[in-house]
Amino acid sequence: MSTHLPEAVATAERVLLRDLTRGAAVSAVTGAVSLAWGVGRSDDWCRGFGRQTLGWAAVNGVIAAAGARGMRTTDKPPAARALKLRTTLAVNAVLDIGYVAAGVAGARSKHPRFAGAQGDGAAVVVQGLFLLWLDAKHARAFHALVE
């Protein structure tokens, strides 16, 4: 094991959490503005986009906070942490493709049961693309550390 591996893994974890936290912050601001606009203008699309984006912001914020706590309390060796994160992020990247597909279906739906859900669907597409970028980027980074 490289003597630099512990610091390299810790740095990669911090960068992942930083990117996720920034994404949550951007989603929170975007969601709040969109929701306020939608409420003020009686715009169902903007309300749905804002509501969904705020929900994703909250989820991402909780995940980032849990990840930061986990970094402080883990006793796993750095190589094991890197391998686990690589695997988790790679699986998540595949799931993100499902988010994008579901979001596209929601955004394009004309079914009366889903009236007004187009904004929600568009928000899921945006979030899915962000998560796909995040998960793929960081899976590659952790893969490089464990190789």
Side-chain angles (χ1 to χ4, degrees):
M1 174 171 72
S2 167
T3 58
H4 299 290
L5 185 62
E7 184 54 37
V9 171
T11 297
E13 287 174 311
R14 284 191 298 272
V15 171
L16 169 61
L17 293 173
R18 180 203 66 203
D19 288 350
L20 184 59
T21 300
R22 286 179 179 169
V26 168
S27 290
V29 171
T30 303
V33 169
S34 182
L35 184 59
W37 180 271
V39 168
R41 303 260 191 243
S42 296
D43 183 329
D44 288 340
W45 193 96
C46 284
R47 272 198 305 256
F49 187 89
R51 177 182 55 240
Q52 189 69 235
T53 302
L54 280 171
W56 283 106
V59 169
N60 290 342
V62 167
I63 292 169
R69 183 179 184 281
M71 274 187 69
R72 291 189 303 272
T73 60
T74 188
D75 58 354
K76 285 186 179 180
R81 288 195 335 259
L83 184 60
K84 181 177 180 185
L85 281 165
R86 180 196 68 178
T87 302
T88 300
L89 292 166
V91 168
N92 284 351
V94 172
L95 296 174
D96 298 335
I97 295 167
Y99 288 145
V100 173
V104 167
R108 295 182 61 169
S109 176
K110 303 294 183 205
H111 193 282
R113 181 175 177 196
F114 301 110
Q118 288 82 12
D120 292 274
V124 173
V125 169
V126 171
Q127 180 64 29
L129 289 172
F130 164 71
L131 290 174
L132 179 58
W133 166 81
L134 180 88
D135 292 336
K137 172 188 171 185
H138 292 286
R140 283 191 308 271
F142 285 106
H143 179 74
L145 291 174
V146 296
E147 285 299 306

